[in-house]
Amino acid sequence: MVIIERRPAAPARPPVRTRARRRRPWPTIVLFLAPALLLFGLLVLAPIVVAGYASLFTWNGFGVPTEFVGLENFRRLLVDEIFVGDLRRTLLLVTLSILIQLPVSLGLAMLLNQPLRGRRVYRLVFFAPYVLSEVVTAVLFTMIFSPNQGLANHITRLIGLGDLGATWLADPDTVMYSLFLVISWKYFGFHTLLYLAARQSIPPELHDAAATDGAGPWRAFRHITLPLLGPTIRISVFLSVLGTVQLFDMVWVLTGGGPIRSSETLAVSMFQEGFKRFHVGYASAFSMAIFLISLVFGLLYQRFVLRRDLEGAVTTMGDRR
Amino acid sequence: MKARHAALHLLSILVGAAIVVPILFGVLGGFKDNGQLFTNPFGLPDPWIPGNYTDILGSGAFWRQAGNSVGIAIATTVGVVGVGAMAAYIFARYAFPGRETLFTVFAIGLMFPFAVAILPLFVLLREMGLLGNPLGVVLPQIAFGLPVTIVVLRGFFRGIPPEVEESAVLDGAGPVRFFWRILLPMSRPALGTVSVLAVVGSWNNYLLPLIVFNDSRWWTLPLGVQQFQSQYSADTARILAYVTLAMIPALLCYAFAERQLVGGLTSGIGKG
């Protein structure tokens, strides 16, 4: 990942191996590791365990949960049309992202890889939305989609689609697509950048050789670029799916899950149940659903898809030095 | 070749416009009034009305929110980089039983969403009396930022040749001294990367401040923007001005740290 450019100064004395530090490493290990373990254990792991525990109770969040109901919350979840709808909507967004957002990002990365004047400016601009917070983005787009003064309707009227453009976030049939539009606006630059970085690390000799052999740009892309971008594409799909499963800020601010709960995501439902209705036990079941979906997807994906790519990061085991 | 070039340019300009137009709509819209927004959505403001911007800049609420965002981002970044670097140092250079398991737990933490922990976190922070306290935002942000920090820094620390450490030990430096005086200064690029990630993450966080801060005194910019939107829901131009002002720090920071951020994101994605 990272190459160190700075070389260490030659040792002033001959490098006599010493065991001074290795003799008593435990105090150092404990001293250096304790803060991270404490914070991570107390504020990340414990809450997730507590969420799992709370999901087995009917609980309003005050005092200690006492009304044990076992897996009843999960049984309810599976027949709750909100939950089933959340899953369906998540799947819709994932599908749209993989079929539209990521291919477009890939195309743009190929574009930016061409010798093009002002390439750096384009790169800077494409990526800019990524640094804006989801809330700021969502508020901006609420204004853009606003029925009267919003930009969106002005544009559709301008290109002669006036009647189509009235609803956007207000219509259950269009709200998810409007949402997808905003998500794409914010995140496609991020994926473009990943692809661009990967594309630029492909040695030019490969494409030169292909050109010498008479391969056109499409064949070179299909048989050289695409396979070599494989690891990056798989990572970008991974991040896109996880991001969608956990989506909250954008939806909460843009629509609040409406109209008539037609744009709710898992996290929005969790928030509604837990912080608005104080059904903390049931909300915890939503939390656990998000957790299990993320974890199972993440682990399966790593096991079967990323196995070849991720040497050294998340999956490194037993690689001691 | 010329035609192809022109087509490429056209396409890039179109995409660039799709990105820029919403932002420009916000910036220019803030200088219009609502009548102008309706009749003249695309053009420059005529006349320019700076009142929306000057009102907000003169109000104090905006500055307080920006200040809170800055303070929380700095505290989070210092915390997560410090604590994370210490842990990454151990994971990178000390062998002890259970190390890889422990590291894997942190690494899997990359996949733990905030939303899962938020309810029990809320209960926990309430018990600890940290609701309405910036620490209630900073500490969880540090905890959730640890995975990416540790993964990136461990990779970097491993690349530093062991001879450096050995010669430091020979010169009488203990592990704390080596860590503080040699390892950290040598790791500036990697520290920069994780710092930028921490700043961006903290700056954009919404859910945690939303549940922790009831009192507007501690609100961060994302909370302020949303609150402003519901307060002035009919006054589009005024909201656009607020959104624009809230975007400026992030965009400035991005323009300044672009290389670091981009390098960090593309290297931190787990290629080891």
Side-chain angles (χ1 to χ4, degrees), chain B residues 61-79:
Chain B
F62 174 82
W63 293 108
R64 198 169 52 238
Q65 289 156 13
N68 290 339
S69 278
V70 169
I72 286 173
I74 290 175
T76 301
T77 305
V78 170

PDB file of all heavy atoms in Angstrom, chain B residues 61-79:
ATOM      1  N   ALA B  61     -25.570  32.102  15.610  1.00  0.00           N
ATOM      2  CA  ALA B  61     -25.874  30.664  15.647  1.00  0.00           C
ATOM      3  C   ALA B  61     -24.970  29.908  14.675  1.00  0.00           C
ATOM      4  O   ALA B  61     -24.394  28.870  15.008  1.00  0.00           O
ATOM      5  CB  ALA B  61     -27.335  30.433  15.295  1.00  0.00           C
ATOM      6  N   PHE B  62     -24.826  30.460  13.467  1.00  0.00           N
ATOM      7  CA  PHE B  62     -23.990  29.801  12.468  1.00  0.00           C
ATOM      8  C   PHE B  62     -22.560  29.641  12.971  1.00  0.00           C
ATOM      9  O   PHE B  62     -21.947  28.575  12.847  1.00  0.00           O
ATOM     10  CB  PHE B  62     -24.010  30.597  11.161  1.00  0.00           C
ATOM     11  CG  PHE B  62     -23.058  30.058  10.133  1.00  0.00           C
ATOM     12  CD1 PHE B  62     -23.411  28.977   9.345  1.00  0.00           C
ATOM     13  CD2 PHE B  62     -21.794  30.620   9.972  1.00  0.00           C
ATOM     14  CE1 PHE B  62     -22.536  28.469   8.411  1.00  0.00           C
ATOM     15  CE2 PHE B  62     -20.910  30.113   9.035  1.00  0.00           C
ATOM     16  CZ  PHE B  62     -21.278  29.040   8.256  1.00  0.00           C
ATOM     17  N   TRP B  63     -22.026  30.698  13.543  1.00  0.00           N
ATOM     18  CA  TRP B  63     -20.634  30.646  13.997  1.00  0.00           C
ATOM     19  C   TRP B  63     -20.468  29.663  15.133  1.00  0.00           C
ATOM     20  O   TRP B  63     -19.451  28.974  15.223  1.00  0.00           O
ATOM     21  CB  TRP B  63     -20.157  32.033  14.424  1.00  0.00           C
ATOM     22  CG  TRP B  63     -20.076  32.969  13.275  1.00  0.00           C
ATOM     23  CD1 TRP B  63     -20.914  34.009  13.018  1.00  0.00           C
ATOM     24  CD2 TRP B  63     -19.133  32.931  12.202  1.00  0.00           C
ATOM     25  NE1 TRP B  63     -20.552  34.621  11.841  1.00  0.00           N
ATOM     26  CE2 TRP B  63     -19.456  33.979  11.325  1.00  0.00           C
ATOM     27  CE3 TRP B  63     -18.049  32.105  11.895  1.00  0.00           C
ATOM     28  CZ2 TRP B  63     -18.745  34.242  10.165  1.00  0.00           C
ATOM     29  CZ3 TRP B  63     -17.331  32.355  10.741  1.00  0.00           C
ATOM     30  CH2 TRP B  63     -17.677  33.413   9.892  1.00  0.00           C
ATOM     31  N   ARG B  64     -21.466  29.637  16.017  1.00  0.00           N
ATOM     32  CA  ARG B  64     -21.361  28.698  17.125  1.00  0.00           C
ATOM     33  C   ARG B  64     -21.368  27.267  16.601  1.00  0.00           C
ATOM     34  O   ARG B  64     -20.576  26.427  17.020  1.00  0.00           O
ATOM     35  CB  ARG B  64     -22.514  28.913  18.109  1.00  0.00           C
ATOM     36  CG  ARG B  64     -22.233  28.298  19.480  1.00  0.00           C
ATOM     37  CD  ARG B  64     -23.225  28.724  20.532  1.00  0.00           C
ATOM     38  NE  ARG B  64     -24.591  28.508  20.094  1.00  0.00           N
ATOM     39  CZ  ARG B  64     -25.506  29.454  20.010  1.00  0.00           C
ATOM     40  NH1 ARG B  64     -25.210  30.689  20.346  1.00  0.00           N
ATOM     41  NH2 ARG B  64     -26.727  29.187  19.607  1.00  0.00           N
ATOM     42  N   GLN B  65     -22.274  26.986  15.640  1.00  0.00           N
ATOM     43  CA  GLN B  65     -22.326  25.633  15.086  1.00  0.00           C
ATOM     44  C   GLN B  65     -21.022  25.281  14.375  1.00  0.00           C
ATOM     45  O   GLN B  65     -20.496  24.170  14.516  1.00  0.00           O
ATOM     46  CB  GLN B  65     -23.498  25.503  14.110  1.00  0.00           C
ATOM     47  CG  GLN B  65     -24.852  25.511  14.799  1.00  0.00           C
ATOM     48  CD  GLN B  65     -25.957  25.945  13.885  1.00  0.00           C
ATOM     49  OE1 GLN B  65     -25.775  26.018  12.666  1.00  0.00           O
ATOM     50  NE2 GLN B  65     -27.118  26.247  14.445  1.00  0.00           N
ATOM     51  N   ALA B  66     -20.506  26.229  13.612  1.00  0.00           N
ATOM     52  CA  ALA B  66     -19.235  25.964  12.923  1.00  0.00           C
ATOM     53  C   ALA B  66     -18.136  25.703  13.945  1.00  0.00           C
ATOM     54  O   ALA B  66     -17.329  24.777  13.790  1.00  0.00           O
ATOM     55  CB  ALA B  66     -18.872  27.143  12.017  1.00  0.00           C
ATOM     56  N   GLY B  67     -18.127  26.509  15.009  1.00  0.00           N
ATOM     57  CA  GLY B  67     -17.119  26.321  16.055  1.00  0.00           C
ATOM     58  C   GLY B  67     -17.251  24.959  16.722  1.00  0.00           C
ATOM     59  O   GLY B  67     -16.256  24.260  16.929  1.00  0.00           O
ATOM     60  N   ASN B  68     -18.498  24.560  17.026  1.00  0.00           N
ATOM     61  CA  ASN B  68     -18.704  23.239  17.609  1.00  0.00           C
ATOM     62  C   ASN B  68     -18.205  22.143  16.674  1.00  0.00           C
ATOM     63  O   ASN B  68     -17.543  21.197  17.106  1.00  0.00           O
ATOM     64  CB  ASN B  68     -20.192  23.010  17.898  1.00  0.00           C
ATOM     65  CG  ASN B  68     -20.694  23.858  19.045  1.00  0.00           C
ATOM     66  OD1 ASN B  68     -19.904  24.322  19.869  1.00  0.00           O
ATOM     67  ND2 ASN B  68     -21.996  24.080  19.097  1.00  0.00           N
ATOM     68  N   SER B  69     -18.536  22.265  15.393  1.00  0.00           N
ATOM     69  CA  SER B  69     -18.092  21.266  14.425  1.00  0.00           C
ATOM     70  C   SER B  69     -16.573  21.187  14.399  1.00  0.00           C
ATOM     71  O   SER B  69     -16.007  20.087  14.386  1.00  0.00           O
ATOM     72  CB  SER B  69     -18.609  21.603  13.019  1.00  0.00           C
ATOM     73  OG  SER B  69     -19.938  21.163  12.860  1.00  0.00           O
ATOM     74  N   VAL B  70     -15.919  22.351  14.405  1.00  0.00           N
ATOM     75  CA  VAL B  70     -14.460  22.366  14.364  1.00  0.00           C
ATOM     76  C   VAL B  70     -13.878  21.719  15.618  1.00  0.00           C
ATOM     77  O   VAL B  70     -13.012  20.840  15.551  1.00  0.00           O
ATOM     78  CB  VAL B  70     -13.930  23.808  14.213  1.00  0.00           C
ATOM     79  CG1 VAL B  70     -12.425  23.861  14.439  1.00  0.00           C
ATOM     80  CG2 VAL B  70     -14.265  24.373  12.842  1.00  0.00           C
ATOM     81  N   GLY B  71     -14.396  22.139  16.781  1.00  0.00           N
ATOM     82  CA  GLY B  71     -13.866  21.606  18.034  1.00  0.00           C
ATOM     83  C   GLY B  71     -14.030  20.099  18.127  1.00  0.00           C
ATOM     84  O   GLY B  71     -13.089  19.378  18.476  1.00  0.00           O
ATOM     85  N   ILE B  72     -15.215  19.618  17.771  1.00  0.00           N
ATOM     86  CA  ILE B  72     -15.481  18.183  17.855  1.00  0.00           C
ATOM     87  C   ILE B  72     -14.619  17.431  16.849  1.00  0.00           C
ATOM     88  O   ILE B  72     -14.074  16.357  17.150  1.00  0.00           O
ATOM     89  CB  ILE B  72     -16.988  17.923  17.642  1.00  0.00           C
ATOM     90  CG1 ILE B  72     -17.741  18.363  18.896  1.00  0.00           C
ATOM     91  CG2 ILE B  72     -17.261  16.458  17.346  1.00  0.00           C
ATOM     92  CD1 ILE B  72     -19.239  18.334  18.776  1.00  0.00           C
ATOM     93  N   ALA B  73     -14.446  18.014  15.673  1.00  0.00           N
ATOM     94  CA  ALA B  73     -13.608  17.338  14.664  1.00  0.00           C
ATOM     95  C   ALA B  73     -12.161  17.256  15.135  1.00  0.00           C
ATOM     96  O   ALA B  73     -11.499  16.217  14.980  1.00  0.00           O
ATOM     97  CB  ALA B  73     -13.694  18.074  13.326  1.00  0.00           C
ATOM     98  N   ILE B  74     -11.657  18.336  15.734  1.00  0.00           N
ATOM     99  CA  ILE B  74     -10.268  18.322  16.191  1.00  0.00           C
ATOM    100  C   ILE B  74     -10.091  17.306  17.316  1.00  0.00           C
ATOM    101  O   ILE B  74      -9.175  16.470  17.293  1.00  0.00           O
ATOM    102  CB  ILE B  74      -9.832  19.728  16.650  1.00  0.00           C
ATOM    103  CG1 ILE B  74      -9.705  20.657  15.445  1.00  0.00           C
ATOM    104  CG2 ILE B  74      -8.489  19.662  17.396  1.00  0.00           C
ATOM    105  CD1 ILE B  74      -9.394  22.089  15.800  1.00  0.00           C
ATOM    106  N   ALA B  75     -10.991  17.344  18.300  1.00  0.00           N
ATOM    107  CA  ALA B  75     -10.871  16.410  19.427  1.00  0.00           C
ATOM    108  C   ALA B  75     -10.953  14.964  18.938  1.00  0.00           C
ATOM    109  O   ALA B  75     -10.160  14.103  19.356  1.00  0.00           O
ATOM    110  CB  ALA B  75     -11.970  16.691  20.449  1.00  0.00           C
ATOM    111  N   THR B  76     -11.894  14.702  18.028  1.00  0.00           N
ATOM    112  CA  THR B  76     -12.021  13.348  17.493  1.00  0.00           C
ATOM    113  C   THR B  76     -10.742  12.915  16.781  1.00  0.00           C
ATOM    114  O   THR B  76     -10.240  11.808  16.981  1.00  0.00           O
ATOM    115  CB  THR B  76     -13.190  13.285  16.489  1.00  0.00           C
ATOM    116  OG1 THR B  76     -14.386  13.667  17.153  1.00  0.00           O
ATOM    117  CG2 THR B  76     -13.349  11.890  15.931  1.00  0.00           C
ATOM    118  N   THR B  77     -10.214  13.816  15.958  1.00  0.00           N
ATOM    119  CA  THR B  77      -9.054  13.450  15.155  1.00  0.00           C
ATOM    120  C   THR B  77      -7.836  13.189  16.034  1.00  0.00           C
ATOM    121  O   THR B  77      -7.152  12.164  15.861  1.00  0.00           O
ATOM    122  CB  THR B  77      -8.748  14.575  14.147  1.00  0.00           C
ATOM    123  OG1 THR B  77      -9.935  14.822  13.394  1.00  0.00           O
ATOM    124  CG2 THR B  77      -7.625  14.184  13.231  1.00  0.00           C
ATOM    125  N   VAL B  78      -7.587  14.087  16.962  1.00  0.00           N
ATOM    126  CA  VAL B  78      -6.443  13.879  17.858  1.00  0.00           C
ATOM    127  C   VAL B  78      -6.614  12.553  18.601  1.00  0.00           C
ATOM    128  O   VAL B  78      -5.692  11.734  18.686  1.00  0.00           O
ATOM    129  CB  VAL B  78      -6.318  15.045  18.857  1.00  0.00           C
ATOM    130  CG1 VAL B  78      -5.296  14.725  19.935  1.00  0.00           C
ATOM    131  CG2 VAL B  78      -5.930  16.319  18.120  1.00  0.00           C
ATOM    132  N   GLY B  79      -7.815  12.309  19.096  1.00  0.00           N
ATOM    133  CA  GLY B  79      -8.070  11.091  19.847  1.00  0.00           C
ATOM    134  C   GLY B  79      -7.897   9.848  19.008  1.00  0.00           C
ATOM    135  O   GLY B  79      -7.175   8.917  19.387  1.00  0.00           O
TER     136      GLY B  79
END
